[in-house]
Amino acid sequence: MVLLVVSGLIGVSGADRLPSTVSETQQITIDTQIDAIATVDVGTKMDWQTVRNGSTTDTSIGKGEIISTVVYVDSVLSNGGDISVVKNIGFDSSNMMRDKMYNLESEKVMTYAGSSGSHLVGAESLILDVRGNYTSNTSESVACVFSDTNLIHNPMFENVVEAQSDVLNLNKGQISTKAEVRAVGSSISTSAGMNYQIAVTPDSNSHEDYANGIVKTNFAGDIMEARDKKPSGSKKDAYVNDWKKPAATNKWRDSTEVNGNISSIQKAFNYKSGLKL
């Protein structure tokens, strides 16, 4: 499952904004390789939050505050059978300066052949949530976006995107996934982004014609943005009660489920927040 949030305007030029990284950054890599005929339980979870002009303990969004939250969860569980897993995870909390760069990257290739009634279940989800408040007034703190608070400067935003895949009762087959997310950046031209791919096929080394099991995917987004800027001059008063309200909303969902013998299923999802210069 994946979530994403970003947007905003600063002065006369702006873009969907990300918080910049904190001064102390971390880099983490985790590499896993398993070849076994056994029960297997493998899991990864990351919950990462970065705040600009605020604190992770804040209960409201204050002046110029931008918050990004990333949640990544991956799990694989089998009760026996022949399994092979190669999984690589890389995390870098520093600023990403280009749209092809990601803070979190995870790739996995897994083959499985059940025996004596054994099977495999697995799930992977990725969520990115970025929200912000561009008021110039220190007293204009809000608990959620698009409230009735009469802001003075630029509008707030909150956009959410999610991606999730589930593999249930897999008896045999090969699964490959790739998950990437970008959540911090100091450049105005760097937008939040997410990429997710999954492919399920027969094991190429087993000479089987089909994989067998249940495969589900779910991609969704919930995007809310206010107006680009507050009108000025003669039009200012006409919009004073309207400019801070949502001017663009976009809700969407894509779901797929395949149950049975599978010769091939491939799904790819890519999201990049909008830019305005």
Side-chain angles (χ1 to χ4, degrees), residues 126-162:
L126 184 60
I127 297 172
L128 172 61
D129 180 354
V130 186
R131 69 203 75 154
N133 182 357
Y134 284 118
T135 177
S136 61
N137 189 336
T138 56
S139 66
E140 297 285 8
S141 296
V142 293
C144 60
V145 299
F146 303 119
S147 70
D148 291 332
T149 304
N150 186 21
L151 301 182
I152 298 174
H153 202 281
N154 290 317
M156 300 173 291
F157 61 88
E158 180 166 11
N159 307 331
V160 176
V161 178
E162 55 179 301

Side-chain angles (χ1 to χ4, degrees), residues 17 37 144 165 220 229 257 260:
R17 298 306 302 275
I37 301 176
C144 60
S165 66
K229 59 184 178 180
E257 179 176 343

Side-chain angles (χ1 to χ4, degrees), residues 44-57:
T44 302
K45 181 176 181 180
M46 185 189 77
D47 190 335
W48 176 43
Q49 185 176 83
T50 302
V51 181
R52 179 180 180 181
N53 297 333
S55 167
T56 58
T57 61

